[in-house]
Amino acid sequence: MRIGAHVSVAGGVDNAVTRQLDVGGNCGQIFTHSPQVWQEPNIDEEKASTFREGTANDLDGPWVIHASYLVNLATPKPDLREKSIESMQQEVDAAEQLGVEYVNVHLGAHTGAGVEAGLDNAASALDELDVPDGVTVLVESDAGSGTKLGGDFAELAAVLERSDQDLGVCLDTAHAFAAGYDLSSRAAVETAMEAFADTVGLDALACVHLNDSKHEHGTHKDEHAHLGEGEIGDEGIEAIVTHEALRDLPFVLETPTEDGRSYAWNVDRARTLRAE
């Protein structure tokens, strides 16, 4: 099972490998810098080399770089669009430097421009990127609150269809659940995956953000819970990690640190549910 967590790069990107091993992970996700600011990754090549070597020697992979929270591909605002494209270009270049396979990004919000215009904006912004060989941009499913796009699988499919880039999809289980796709039982997971297959296509699915949800499905509230202890629950998480279309994908945790438990507990829980 490829399972890991979103870990910190504090003190140098090479520290992410040790932190991943510390929580029992064998793949994972990082930010290259604080996701709350516009900032270049500026990765030291020596630390990048150590990161690459540590990954090759100690992990199964892959790694995913998560784009800045400030990036809004769907925006109608020219200045924000320009900053978003520039930030994404820096992330895909950093991915090439680190030997990271995926860069994950939310489509963002159309902020009143309308769904179709927002989808066009997102696709055309992605087309502005010079994505290095060996790097794939993944668009992430969203909880769909407000004017944010990506909650409906059809919106993910539309961007993949409209973009000239060879894009993939990251399915966030808590986001999909919040957006209205029930994942709380084996039958519900099967129905949701059939919808994904029919709308997006399973070939596009490259990664799963494995998170439980603190809120009921369809609420559009994005708040993650420990695996099996949220509204998705043990049955739903077990169905996800054992589903034929998902089981061989990398699972990345973004679960909370609370109640004396963090990533290590959730990595163990995922493996336990997989084995049951």
Side-chain angles (χ1 to χ4, degrees):
M1 182 180 189
R2 290 188 290 171
I3 178 76
H6 185 120
V7 294
S8 170
V9 298
V13 68
D14 52 324
N15 290 329
V17 176
T18 302
R19 292 183 177 119
Q20 195 62 249
L21 293 170
D22 286 345
V23 301
N26 55 26
C27 64
Q29 182 174 268
I30 58 172
F31 291 122
T32 60
H33 58 83
S34 169
Q36 307 288 357
V37 297
W38 297 113
Q39 181 179 330
E40 290 189 43
N42 289 326
I43 298 169
D44 177 79
E45 179 51 36
E46 184 176 349
K47 292 183 181 296
S49 178
T50 304
F51 173 90
R52 293 191 301 266
E53 291 172 6
T55 296
N57 292 335
D58 299 324
L59 302 175
D60 295 332
W63 282 103
V64 181
I65 290 174
H66 196 302
S68 168
Y69 292 145
L70 300 181
V71 168
N72 186 348
L73 301 175
T75 182
K77 301 175 181 178
D79 56 340
L80 180 54
R81 175 185 171 88
E82 182 178 351
K83 286 182 177 180
S84 297
I85 293 170
E86 180 181 7
S87 178
M88 283 298 296
Q89 186 63 55
Q90 292 167 354
E91 299 291 15
V92 297
D93 290 342
E96 181 183 37
Q97 180 186 11
L98 293 170
V100 169
E101 194 169 338
Y102 300 118
V103 174
N104 182 70
V105 65
H106 295 270
L107 295 177
H110 66 71
T111 62
V115 171
E116 291 303 315
L119 294 172
D120 284 341
N121 289 341
S124 62
L126 289 165
D127 286 346
E128 292 289 324
L129 301 178
D130 181 11
V131 181
D133 291 342
V135 178
T136 300
V137 175
L138 306 181
V139 291
E140 182 180 341
S141 63
D142 199 273
S145 61
T147 65
K148 290 181 179 179
L149 300 176
D152 189 325
F153 290 161
E155 294 169 357
L156 299 174
V159 170
L160 267 61
E161 181 179 348
R162 297 178 197 191
S163 173
D164 293 329
Q165 299 280 9
D166 185 14
L167 303 170
V169 172
C170 174
L171 178 66
D172 187 302
T173 56
H175 294 172
F177 188 74
Y181 296 96
D182 189 6
L183 299 171
S184 62
S185 69
R186 188 164 295 279
V189 169
E190 188 61 41
T191 298
M193 292 313 302
E194 287 176 359
F196 187 96
D198 291 343
T199 308
V200 183
L202 293 174
D203 288 347
L205 189 54
C207 179
V208 176
H209 280 174
L210 185 62
N211 302 302
D212 210 326
S213 173
K214 290 188 177 181
H215 303 282
E216 295 180 358
H217 85 278
T219 60
H220 302 290
K221 294 181 178 180
D222 178 15
E223 193 173 4
H224 300 175
H226 292 304
L227 298 185
E229 299 199 351
E231 295 295 325
I232 295 177
D234 277 349
E235 182 181 349
I237 297 296
E238 181 181 350
I240 290 165
V241 298
T242 58
H243 192 280
E244 183 178 2
L246 303 175
R247 60 178 293 115
D248 293 331
L249 295 175
F251 293 97
V252 176
L253 299 167
E254 299 170 323
T255 45
T257 299
E258 59 188 17
D259 304 325
R261 292 170 292 179
S262 188
Y263 287 136
W265 185 92
N266 285 280
V267 168
D268 286 344
R269 188 68 188 136
R271 288 198 171 108
T272 298
L273 290 170
R274 173 69 164 259
E276 290 179 355

